[in-house]
Amino acid sequence: MENILYIVLGLTLLIVGGDWLLKSAVAISYRLNIPKVVVGMTVVSFATSAPELIVSIKAALNGSPDLALGNVVGSNIANLGLVLGVTVILGSIDVRKTFYTTDWPVMMFASLLFFAFIYTDGVLVQYEGVLMVICLIAFLVYLLRFQKKNIEEEVEEDNEEELALYKVLLFLAIGGVALWGGSELLINGAVGLATAYGVSERVIGVTVVSVGTSIPELAASIIAIIKKEKAISVGNLIGSNIFNLLAVLGITAIITPIRVVDQGLLDFDIFWMLGISFLILPLVFIPKSLRLNWKEGIVLLSIYIYFVYITVV
């Protein structure tokens, strides 16, 4: 019971801390007159990946590499199966052309790059992490140069009123402390739960931890659907998956090597991640081109529920 309480409190702090960090980071960027397009593709993206990044780094440093890897792999599966599935069940969305020209190809490249690095020897080392971060920087440069108009439109839709300076500093401080404290509680609770029930850290990582770090995306998508906003896009979730792989795992591997302990990550989880990532492409075009509705949502959600079931059972 104590471990479950730690997990719940940890996830709550991560969600709240990530939200406060995001608000303060965007506000600081605007105060420094950084262009909105740069804010959208750097500050916002990194801030929304902060929970995954903090959890993965601390898990790896604390000797729980399967939590670090399971968190990212499971989060990528949850983003497409759970978050996107629930979102399109609640309301159909149109998919932009950039999905098949940029977003999906880059996500598959990042997924296959991670697969190539980790599958051969079961470890992500420093130079591989550096290469992943370089790929991320190249992707950002491409977006800023060739996809600027699309990015500016998305950032403009999410623009909020300027925060007072004391609020910016307060959010920044509280957000940072909440992320640190939340990651400590979550990892301690997850490791304790795995030990108590004889479940591997990898299973906890790809289910409980990954769903927890995907809750902000799920909540934001549901709220946007209810408010009938147009800012929802498959590209947002795909972008999150790209950052999870190239930024979160890349930076973590630079700090400390991440070695697979539970072989299930290589024999099972990573193939599910690759499979559901690839599946998005035909779903976007069949039966109706560049549109996802409740039918595709049921398919995605059913796949995710089945994945969790066979992982746990």
Side-chain angles (χ1 to χ4, degrees), residues 2-49:
E2 182 180 349
N3 291 320
I4 295 176
L5 181 61
Y6 283 161
I7 291 174
V8 172
L9 288 176
L11 288 174
T12 302
L13 285 174
L14 283 173
I15 294 167
V16 174
D19 183 53
W20 283 340
L21 183 66
L22 173 59
K23 288 181 178 179
S24 61
V26 172
I28 290 173
S29 303
Y30 288 164
R31 283 181 174 275
L32 296 176
N33 293 319
I34 298 176
K36 291 178 181 178
V37 61
V38 177
V39 174
M41 285 312 304
T42 55
V43 177
V44 173
S45 297
F46 277 108
T48 52
S49 293

mmCIF file of all heavy atoms in Angstrom, residues 2-49:
data_model
loop_
_atom_site.group_PDB
_atom_site.id
_atom_site.type_symbol
_atom_site.label_atom_id
_atom_site.label_comp_id
_atom_site.label_asym_id
_atom_site.label_seq_id
_atom_site.Cartn_x
_atom_site.Cartn_y
_atom_site.Cartn_z
ATOM 1 N N GLU A 2 1.964 1.197 0.765
ATOM 2 C CA GLU A 2 2.879 2.333 0.851
ATOM 3 C C GLU A 2 3.510 2.629 -0.510
ATOM 4 O O GLU A 2 3.638 3.786 -0.904
ATOM 5 C CB GLU A 2 3.970 2.043 1.883
ATOM 6 C CG GLU A 2 4.957 3.201 2.070
ATOM 7 C CD GLU A 2 6.028 2.874 3.091
ATOM 8 O OE1 GLU A 2 5.889 1.850 3.797
ATOM 9 O OE2 GLU A 2 7.010 3.622 3.170
ATOM 10 N N ASN A 3 3.877 1.567 -1.244
ATOM 11 C CA ASN A 3 4.495 1.749 -2.563
ATOM 12 C C ASN A 3 3.515 2.373 -3.557
ATOM 13 O O ASN A 3 3.896 3.225 -4.358
ATOM 14 C CB ASN A 3 4.990 0.406 -3.105
ATOM 15 C CG ASN A 3 6.178 -0.123 -2.321
ATOM 16 O OD1 ASN A 3 7.061 0.641 -1.945
ATOM 17 N ND2 ASN A 3 6.199 -1.422 -2.067
ATOM 18 N N ILE A 4 2.262 1.942 -3.498
ATOM 19 C CA ILE A 4 1.241 2.504 -4.383
ATOM 20 C C ILE A 4 1.030 3.985 -4.078
ATOM 21 O O ILE A 4 0.877 4.811 -4.982
ATOM 22 C CB ILE A 4 -0.088 1.731 -4.239
ATOM 23 C CG1 ILE A 4 0.089 0.282 -4.716
ATOM 24 C CG2 ILE A 4 -1.207 2.416 -5.026
ATOM 25 C CD1 ILE A 4 -1.132 -0.584 -4.529
ATOM 26 N N LEU A 5 1.051 4.325 -2.789
ATOM 27 C CA LEU A 5 0.912 5.727 -2.393
ATOM 28 C C LEU A 5 2.067 6.560 -2.929
ATOM 29 O O LEU A 5 1.866 7.669 -3.428
ATOM 30 C CB LEU A 5 0.861 5.833 -0.864
ATOM 31 C CG LEU A 5 0.697 7.251 -0.282
ATOM 32 C CD1 LEU A 5 -0.615 7.874 -0.766
ATOM 33 C CD2 LEU A 5 0.758 7.214 1.234
ATOM 34 N N TYR A 6 3.288 6.014 -2.854
ATOM 35 C CA TYR A 6 4.454 6.705 -3.405
ATOM 36 C C TYR A 6 4.288 6.947 -4.900
ATOM 37 O O TYR A 6 4.610 8.023 -5.413
ATOM 38 C CB TYR A 6 5.723 5.877 -3.165
ATOM 39 C CG TYR A 6 6.268 5.940 -1.760
ATOM 40 C CD1 TYR A 6 7.153 4.970 -1.286
ATOM 41 C CD2 TYR A 6 5.901 6.966 -0.901
ATOM 42 C CE1 TYR A 6 7.650 5.017 0.007
ATOM 43 C CE2 TYR A 6 6.399 7.027 0.397
ATOM 44 C CZ TYR A 6 7.267 6.056 0.842
ATOM 45 O OH TYR A 6 7.760 6.114 2.114
ATOM 46 N N ILE A 7 3.792 5.922 -5.608
ATOM 47 C CA ILE A 7 3.617 6.039 -7.054
ATOM 48 C C ILE A 7 2.590 7.113 -7.396
ATOM 49 O O ILE A 7 2.812 7.956 -8.267
ATOM 50 C CB ILE A 7 3.197 4.675 -7.660
ATOM 51 C CG1 ILE A 7 4.362 3.692 -7.587
ATOM 52 C CG2 ILE A 7 2.733 4.850 -9.114
ATOM 53 C CD1 ILE A 7 4.016 2.286 -8.030
ATOM 54 N N VAL A 8 1.457 7.097 -6.691
ATOM 55 C CA VAL A 8 0.402 8.084 -6.937
ATOM 56 C C VAL A 8 0.896 9.500 -6.652
ATOM 57 O O VAL A 8 0.705 10.416 -7.452
ATOM 58 C CB VAL A 8 -0.855 7.766 -6.097
ATOM 59 C CG1 VAL A 8 -1.870 8.893 -6.217
ATOM 60 C CG2 VAL A 8 -1.475 6.450 -6.547
ATOM 61 N N LEU A 9 1.548 9.678 -5.496
ATOM 62 C CA LEU A 9 2.070 10.994 -5.139
ATOM 63 C C LEU A 9 3.159 11.435 -6.119
ATOM 64 O O LEU A 9 3.222 12.607 -6.513
ATOM 65 C CB LEU A 9 2.637 10.966 -3.718
ATOM 66 C CG LEU A 9 1.618 10.882 -2.575
ATOM 67 C CD1 LEU A 9 2.329 10.757 -1.228
ATOM 68 C CD2 LEU A 9 0.710 12.109 -2.573
ATOM 69 N N GLY A 10 4.009 10.487 -6.511
ATOM 70 C CA GLY A 10 5.081 10.802 -7.454
ATOM 71 C C GLY A 10 4.546 11.252 -8.797
ATOM 72 O O GLY A 10 5.007 12.245 -9.368
ATOM 73 N N LEU A 11 3.553 10.525 -9.316
ATOM 74 C CA LEU A 11 2.956 10.886 -10.604
ATOM 75 C C LEU A 11 2.261 12.242 -10.515
ATOM 76 O O LEU A 11 2.350 13.053 -11.443
ATOM 77 C CB LEU A 11 1.950 9.808 -11.030
ATOM 78 C CG LEU A 11 2.547 8.468 -11.485
ATOM 79 C CD1 LEU A 11 1.437 7.454 -11.731
ATOM 80 C CD2 LEU A 11 3.386 8.656 -12.743
ATOM 81 N N THR A 12 1.591 12.482 -9.394
ATOM 82 C CA THR A 12 0.909 13.771 -9.211
ATOM 83 C C THR A 12 1.908 14.925 -9.239
ATOM 84 O O THR A 12 1.689 15.940 -9.913
ATOM 85 C CB THR A 12 0.136 13.790 -7.876
ATOM 86 O OG1 THR A 12 -0.809 12.718 -7.863
ATOM 87 C CG2 THR A 12 -0.602 15.115 -7.704
ATOM 88 N N LEU A 13 3.010 14.764 -8.519
ATOM 89 C CA LEU A 13 4.040 15.804 -8.498
ATOM 90 C C LEU A 13 4.675 15.997 -9.869
ATOM 91 O O LEU A 13 4.972 17.124 -10.277
ATOM 92 C CB LEU A 13 5.116 15.453 -7.467
ATOM 93 C CG LEU A 13 4.734 15.651 -5.990
ATOM 94 C CD1 LEU A 13 5.842 15.134 -5.085
ATOM 95 C CD2 LEU A 13 4.462 17.123 -5.709
ATOM 96 N N LEU A 14 4.886 14.900 -10.602
ATOM 97 C CA LEU A 14 5.463 14.998 -11.946
ATOM 98 C C LEU A 14 4.540 15.763 -12.890
ATOM 99 O O LEU A 14 4.985 16.606 -13.678
ATOM 100 C CB LEU A 14 5.743 13.604 -12.512
ATOM 101 C CG LEU A 14 6.979 12.880 -11.983
ATOM 102 C CD1 LEU A 14 7.018 11.454 -12.509
ATOM 103 C CD2 LEU A 14 8.249 13.608 -12.380
ATOM 104 N N ILE A 15 3.249 15.466 -12.828
ATOM 105 C CA ILE A 15 2.276 16.128 -13.694
ATOM 106 C C ILE A 15 2.191 17.617 -13.380
ATOM 107 O O ILE A 15 2.264 18.470 -14.265
ATOM 108 C CB ILE A 15 0.892 15.457 -13.560
ATOM 109 C CG1 ILE A 15 0.938 14.026 -14.107
ATOM 110 C CG2 ILE A 15 -0.170 16.269 -14.293
ATOM 111 C CD1 ILE A 15 -0.274 13.195 -13.745
ATOM 112 N N VAL A 16 2.047 17.924 -12.087
ATOM 113 C CA VAL A 16 1.944 19.320 -11.667
ATOM 114 C C VAL A 16 3.247 20.065 -11.930
ATOM 115 O O VAL A 16 3.252 21.184 -12.452
ATOM 116 C CB VAL A 16 1.572 19.407 -10.173
ATOM 117 C CG1 VAL A 16 1.614 20.861 -9.688
ATOM 118 C CG2 VAL A 16 0.184 18.831 -9.937
ATOM 119 N N GLY A 17 4.364 19.421 -11.591
ATOM 120 C CA GLY A 17 5.664 20.046 -11.806
ATOM 121 C C GLY A 17 5.949 20.305 -13.272
ATOM 122 O O GLY A 17 6.468 21.361 -13.642
ATOM 123 N N GLY A 18 5.595 19.341 -14.130
ATOM 124 C CA GLY A 18 5.794 19.522 -15.567
ATOM 125 C C GLY A 18 4.969 20.666 -16.114
ATOM 126 O O GLY A 18 5.435 21.450 -16.951
ATOM 127 N N ASP A 19 3.742 20.811 -15.623
ATOM 128 C CA ASP A 19 2.865 21.893 -16.073
ATOM 129 C C ASP A 19 3.408 23.249 -15.640
ATOM 130 O O ASP A 19 3.442 24.197 -16.414
ATOM 131 C CB ASP A 19 1.461 21.682 -15.504
ATOM 132 C CG ASP A 19 0.473 22.732 -15.995
ATOM 133 O OD1 ASP A 19 0.366 22.914 -17.228
ATOM 134 O OD2 ASP A 19 -0.183 23.376 -15.163
ATOM 135 N N TRP A 20 3.854 23.347 -14.393
ATOM 136 C CA TRP A 20 4.406 24.615 -13.897
ATOM 137 C C TRP A 20 5.703 24.968 -14.625
ATOM 138 O O TRP A 20 5.947 26.123 -14.961
ATOM 139 C CB TRP A 20 4.664 24.525 -12.393
ATOM 140 C CG TRP A 20 3.410 24.646 -11.576
ATOM 141 C CD1 TRP A 20 2.226 25.189 -11.972
ATOM 142 C CD2 TRP A 20 3.211 24.189 -10.241
ATOM 143 N NE1 TRP A 20 1.295 25.104 -10.967
ATOM 144 C CE2 TRP A 20 1.862 24.504 -9.892
ATOM 145 C CE3 TRP A 20 4.019 23.551 -9.291
ATOM 146 C CZ2 TRP A 20 1.328 24.194 -8.646
ATOM 147 C CZ3 TRP A 20 3.475 23.255 -8.055
ATOM 148 C CH2 TRP A 20 2.154 23.577 -7.743
ATOM 149 N N LEU A 21 6.539 23.952 -14.866
ATOM 150 C CA LEU A 21 7.796 24.195 -15.576
ATOM 151 C C LEU A 21 7.525 24.681 -16.994
ATOM 152 O O LEU A 21 8.202 25.599 -17.497
ATOM 153 C CB LEU A 21 8.631 22.913 -15.609
ATOM 154 C CG LEU A 21 10.008 23.036 -16.272
ATOM 155 C CD1 LEU A 21 10.904 23.944 -15.452
ATOM 156 C CD2 LEU A 21 10.645 21.657 -16.419
ATOM 157 N N LEU A 22 6.531 24.094 -17.638
ATOM 158 C CA LEU A 22 6.168 24.495 -18.995
ATOM 159 C C LEU A 22 5.715 25.956 -19.027
ATOM 160 O O LEU A 22 6.175 26.743 -19.865
ATOM 161 C CB LEU A 22 5.054 23.591 -19.528
ATOM 162 C CG LEU A 22 4.437 23.971 -20.884
ATOM 163 C CD1 LEU A 22 5.501 23.984 -21.969
ATOM 164 C CD2 LEU A 22 3.317 23.019 -21.237
ATOM 165 N N LYS A 23 4.832 26.322 -18.122
ATOM 166 C CA LYS A 23 4.326 27.698 -18.084
ATOM 167 C C LYS A 23 5.453 28.702 -17.848
ATOM 168 O O LYS A 23 5.534 29.741 -18.509
ATOM 169 C CB LYS A 23 3.269 27.846 -16.992
ATOM 170 C CG LYS A 23 1.949 27.164 -17.302
ATOM 171 C CD LYS A 23 0.941 27.375 -16.187
ATOM 172 C CE LYS A 23 -0.398 26.724 -16.521
ATOM 173 N NZ LYS A 23 -1.392 26.888 -15.436
ATOM 174 N N SER A 24 6.336 28.386 -16.901
ATOM 175 C CA SER A 24 7.418 29.314 -16.586
ATOM 176 C C SER A 24 8.435 29.402 -17.725
ATOM 177 O O SER A 24 8.918 30.485 -18.044
ATOM 178 C CB SER A 24 8.124 28.885 -15.291
ATOM 179 O OG SER A 24 8.690 27.598 -15.417
ATOM 180 N N ALA A 25 8.731 28.259 -18.358
ATOM 181 C CA ALA A 25 9.702 28.255 -19.446
ATOM 182 C C ALA A 25 9.206 29.068 -20.641
ATOM 183 O O ALA A 25 9.959 29.851 -21.241
ATOM 184 C CB ALA A 25 9.986 26.812 -19.880
ATOM 185 N N VAL A 26 7.939 28.905 -20.982
ATOM 186 C CA VAL A 26 7.365 29.668 -22.096
ATOM 187 C C VAL A 26 7.336 31.152 -21.757
ATOM 188 O O VAL A 26 7.668 32.006 -22.594
ATOM 189 C CB VAL A 26 5.951 29.166 -22.429
ATOM 190 C CG1 VAL A 26 5.279 30.080 -23.437
ATOM 191 C CG2 VAL A 26 6.007 27.738 -22.965
ATOM 192 N N ALA A 27 6.953 31.486 -20.527
ATOM 193 C CA ALA A 27 6.885 32.886 -20.113
ATOM 194 C C ALA A 27 8.257 33.549 -20.157
ATOM 195 O O ALA A 27 8.401 34.692 -20.606
ATOM 196 C CB ALA A 27 6.297 32.980 -18.708
ATOM 197 N N ILE A 28 9.281 32.836 -19.692
ATOM 198 C CA ILE A 28 10.646 33.373 -19.729
ATOM 199 C C ILE A 28 11.095 33.599 -21.163
ATOM 200 O O ILE A 28 11.709 34.624 -21.496
ATOM 201 C CB ILE A 28 11.620 32.414 -19.010
ATOM 202 C CG1 ILE A 28 11.356 32.427 -17.501
ATOM 203 C CG2 ILE A 28 13.066 32.808 -19.290
ATOM 204 C CD1 ILE A 28 12.147 31.388 -16.741
ATOM 205 N N SER A 29 10.771 32.662 -22.033
ATOM 206 C CA SER A 29 11.154 32.779 -23.445
ATOM 207 C C SER A 29 10.513 34.003 -24.085
ATOM 208 O O SER A 29 11.159 34.729 -24.845
ATOM 209 C CB SER A 29 10.744 31.514 -24.207
ATOM 210 O OG SER A 29 11.329 30.374 -23.627
ATOM 211 N N TYR A 30 9.244 34.244 -23.786
ATOM 212 C CA TYR A 30 8.560 35.412 -24.332
ATOM 213 C C TYR A 30 9.158 36.707 -23.798
ATOM 214 O O TYR A 30 9.289 37.697 -24.513
ATOM 215 C CB TYR A 30 7.068 35.349 -24.010
ATOM 216 C CG TYR A 30 6.313 34.299 -24.806
ATOM 217 C CD1 TYR A 30 5.040 33.883 -24.422
ATOM 218 C CD2 TYR A 30 6.873 33.720 -25.937
ATOM 219 C CE1 TYR A 30 4.349 32.912 -25.148
ATOM 220 C CE2 TYR A 30 6.194 32.758 -26.663
ATOM 221 C CZ TYR A 30 4.933 32.358 -26.261
ATOM 222 O OH TYR A 30 4.254 31.408 -26.980
ATOM 223 N N ARG A 31 9.543 36.692 -22.502
ATOM 224 C CA ARG A 31 10.145 37.883 -21.911
ATOM 225 C C ARG A 31 11.498 38.197 -22.539
ATOM 226 O O ARG A 31 11.926 39.350 -22.602
ATOM 227 C CB ARG A 31 10.302 37.697 -20.401
ATOM 228 C CG ARG A 31 9.001 37.868 -19.623
ATOM 229 C CD ARG A 31 9.220 37.692 -18.132
ATOM 230 N NE ARG A 31 7.998 38.005 -17.401
ATOM 231 C CZ ARG A 31 7.636 39.217 -17.020
ATOM 232 N NH1 ARG A 31 8.429 40.250 -17.309
ATOM 233 N NH2 ARG A 31 6.511 39.420 -16.363
ATOM 234 N N LEU A 32 12.193 37.168 -23.006
ATOM 235 C CA LEU A 32 13.491 37.349 -23.651
ATOM 236 C C LEU A 32 13.345 37.592 -25.155
ATOM 237 O O LEU A 32 14.341 37.630 -25.874
ATOM 238 C CB LEU A 32 14.372 36.110 -23.410
ATOM 239 C CG LEU A 32 14.759 35.834 -21.951
ATOM 240 C CD1 LEU A 32 15.527 34.543 -21.841
ATOM 241 C CD2 LEU A 32 15.575 36.994 -21.386
ATOM 242 N N ASN A 33 12.080 37.725 -25.601
ATOM 243 C CA ASN A 33 11.781 37.988 -27.015
ATOM 244 C C ASN A 33 12.280 36.888 -27.952
ATOM 245 O O ASN A 33 12.709 37.154 -29.084
ATOM 246 C CB ASN A 33 12.365 39.339 -27.455
ATOM 247 C CG ASN A 33 11.672 40.504 -26.769
ATOM 248 O OD1 ASN A 33 10.447 40.504 -26.607
ATOM 249 N ND2 ASN A 33 12.456 41.492 -26.362
ATOM 250 N N ILE A 34 12.252 35.657 -27.458
ATOM 251 C CA ILE A 34 12.591 34.523 -28.317
ATOM 252 C C ILE A 34 11.401 34.251 -29.222
ATOM 253 O O ILE A 34 10.268 34.185 -28.749
ATOM 254 C CB ILE A 34 12.916 33.280 -27.470
ATOM 255 C CG1 ILE A 34 14.132 33.559 -26.580
ATOM 256 C CG2 ILE A 34 13.168 32.062 -28.358
ATOM 257 C CD1 ILE A 34 14.463 32.424 -25.628
ATOM 258 N N PRO A 35 11.610 34.103 -30.537
ATOM 259 C CA PRO A 35 10.495 33.880 -31.462
ATOM 260 C C PRO A 35 9.627 32.696 -31.046
ATOM 261 O O PRO A 35 10.120 31.692 -30.537
ATOM 262 C CB PRO A 35 11.202 33.594 -32.797
ATOM 263 C CG PRO A 35 12.508 34.284 -32.672
ATOM 264 C CD PRO A 35 12.898 34.150 -31.220
ATOM 265 N N LYS A 36 8.318 32.826 -31.252
ATOM 266 C CA LYS A 36 7.375 31.780 -30.847
ATOM 267 C C LYS A 36 7.679 30.440 -31.505
ATOM 268 O O LYS A 36 7.473 29.387 -30.906
ATOM 269 C CB LYS A 36 5.944 32.212 -31.191
ATOM 270 C CG LYS A 36 5.457 33.378 -30.336
ATOM 271 C CD LYS A 36 4.049 33.799 -30.735
ATOM 272 C CE LYS A 36 3.569 34.978 -29.889
ATOM 273 N NZ LYS A 36 2.235 35.446 -30.282
ATOM 274 N N VAL A 37 8.157 30.484 -32.748
ATOM 275 C CA VAL A 37 8.450 29.237 -33.434
ATOM 276 C C VAL A 37 9.573 28.491 -32.722
ATOM 277 O O VAL A 37 9.556 27.265 -32.612
ATOM 278 C CB VAL A 37 8.810 29.492 -34.918
ATOM 279 C CG1 VAL A 37 10.053 30.368 -35.025
ATOM 280 C CG2 VAL A 37 9.020 28.190 -35.653
ATOM 281 N N VAL A 38 10.555 29.224 -32.205
ATOM 282 C CA VAL A 38 11.659 28.602 -31.471
ATOM 283 C C VAL A 38 11.157 28.074 -30.128
ATOM 284 O O VAL A 38 11.522 26.983 -29.694
ATOM 285 C CB VAL A 38 12.807 29.609 -31.257
ATOM 286 C CG1 VAL A 38 13.934 28.974 -30.434
ATOM 287 C CG2 VAL A 38 13.331 30.090 -32.596
ATOM 288 N N VAL A 39 10.302 28.860 -29.480
ATOM 289 C CA VAL A 39 9.708 28.442 -28.206
ATOM 290 C C VAL A 39 8.944 27.128 -28.381
ATOM 291 O O VAL A 39 9.083 26.191 -27.595
ATOM 292 C CB VAL A 39 8.752 29.525 -27.661
ATOM 293 C CG1 VAL A 39 8.021 29.018 -26.422
ATOM 294 C CG2 VAL A 39 9.525 30.788 -27.321
ATOM 295 N N GLY A 40 8.152 27.055 -29.437
ATOM 296 C CA GLY A 40 7.327 25.878 -29.666
ATOM 297 C C GLY A 40 8.125 24.616 -29.876
ATOM 298 O O GLY A 40 7.772 23.554 -29.372
ATOM 299 N N MET A 41 9.222 24.726 -30.630
ATOM 300 C CA MET A 41 9.970 23.528 -30.982
ATOM 301 C C MET A 41 11.110 23.197 -30.027
ATOM 302 O O MET A 41 11.708 22.130 -30.136
ATOM 303 C CB MET A 41 10.532 23.674 -32.408
ATOM 304 C CG MET A 41 9.483 23.514 -33.487
ATOM 305 S SD MET A 41 8.426 22.063 -33.257
ATOM 306 C CE MET A 41 9.648 20.766 -33.189
ATOM 307 N N THR A 42 11.444 24.090 -29.105
ATOM 308 C CA THR A 42 12.533 23.807 -28.168
ATOM 309 C C THR A 42 12.034 23.829 -26.726
ATOM 310 O O THR A 42 11.954 22.800 -26.069
ATOM 311 C CB THR A 42 13.676 24.829 -28.335
ATOM 312 O OG1 THR A 42 13.145 26.153 -28.200
ATOM 313 C CG2 THR A 42 14.313 24.692 -29.707
ATOM 314 N N VAL A 43 11.653 25.002 -26.253
ATOM 315 C CA VAL A 43 11.243 25.154 -24.851
ATOM 316 C C VAL A 43 10.045 24.279 -24.516
ATOM 317 O O VAL A 43 10.061 23.508 -23.551
ATOM 318 C CB VAL A 43 10.924 26.634 -24.540
ATOM 319 C CG1 VAL A 43 10.440 26.782 -23.106
ATOM 320 C CG2 VAL A 43 12.153 27.496 -24.774
ATOM 321 N N VAL A 44 8.983 24.387 -25.318
ATOM 322 C CA VAL A 44 7.760 23.630 -25.041
ATOM 323 C C VAL A 44 8.012 22.130 -25.134
ATOM 324 O O VAL A 44 7.603 21.356 -24.266
ATOM 325 C CB VAL A 44 6.626 24.046 -26.009
ATOM 326 C CG1 VAL A 44 5.415 23.138 -25.825
ATOM 327 C CG2 VAL A 44 6.240 25.493 -25.759
ATOM 328 N N SER A 45 8.707 21.703 -26.189
ATOM 329 C CA SER A 45 8.948 20.278 -26.392
ATOM 330 C C SER A 45 9.769 19.673 -25.260
ATOM 331 O O SER A 45 9.459 18.595 -24.750
ATOM 332 C CB SER A 45 9.661 20.060 -27.733
ATOM 333 O OG SER A 45 8.835 20.477 -28.799
ATOM 334 N N PHE A 46 10.828 20.360 -24.863
ATOM 335 C CA PHE A 46 11.662 19.841 -23.782
ATOM 336 C C PHE A 46 10.926 19.881 -22.447
ATOM 337 O O PHE A 46 11.059 18.982 -21.620
ATOM 338 C CB PHE A 46 12.969 20.628 -23.677
ATOM 339 C CG PHE A 46 14.015 20.158 -24.652
ATOM 340 C CD1 PHE A 46 14.362 20.916 -25.744
ATOM 341 C CD2 PHE A 46 14.639 18.932 -24.471
ATOM 342 C CE1 PHE A 46 15.317 20.474 -26.648
ATOM 343 C CE2 PHE A 46 15.599 18.478 -25.368
ATOM 344 C CZ PHE A 46 15.940 19.256 -26.463
ATOM 345 N N ALA A 47 10.146 20.939 -22.213
ATOM 346 C CA ALA A 47 9.425 21.048 -20.945
ATOM 347 C C ALA A 47 8.381 19.947 -20.798
ATOM 348 O O ALA A 47 8.215 19.374 -19.722
ATOM 349 C CB ALA A 47 8.758 22.421 -20.830
ATOM 350 N N THR A 48 7.678 19.625 -21.891
ATOM 351 C CA THR A 48 6.664 18.572 -21.820
ATOM 352 C C THR A 48 7.295 17.183 -21.709
ATOM 353 O O THR A 48 6.634 16.224 -21.310
ATOM 354 C CB THR A 48 5.735 18.612 -23.049
ATOM 355 O OG1 THR A 48 6.531 18.600 -24.248
ATOM 356 C CG2 THR A 48 4.882 19.866 -23.039
ATOM 357 N N SER A 49 8.570 17.063 -22.071
ATOM 358 C CA SER A 49 9.275 15.784 -21.929
ATOM 359 C C SER A 49 10.030 15.708 -20.608
ATOM 360 O O SER A 49 10.686 14.701 -20.333
ATOM 361 C CB SER A 49 10.271 15.597 -23.091
ATOM 362 O OG SER A 49 9.605 15.442 -24.317
#
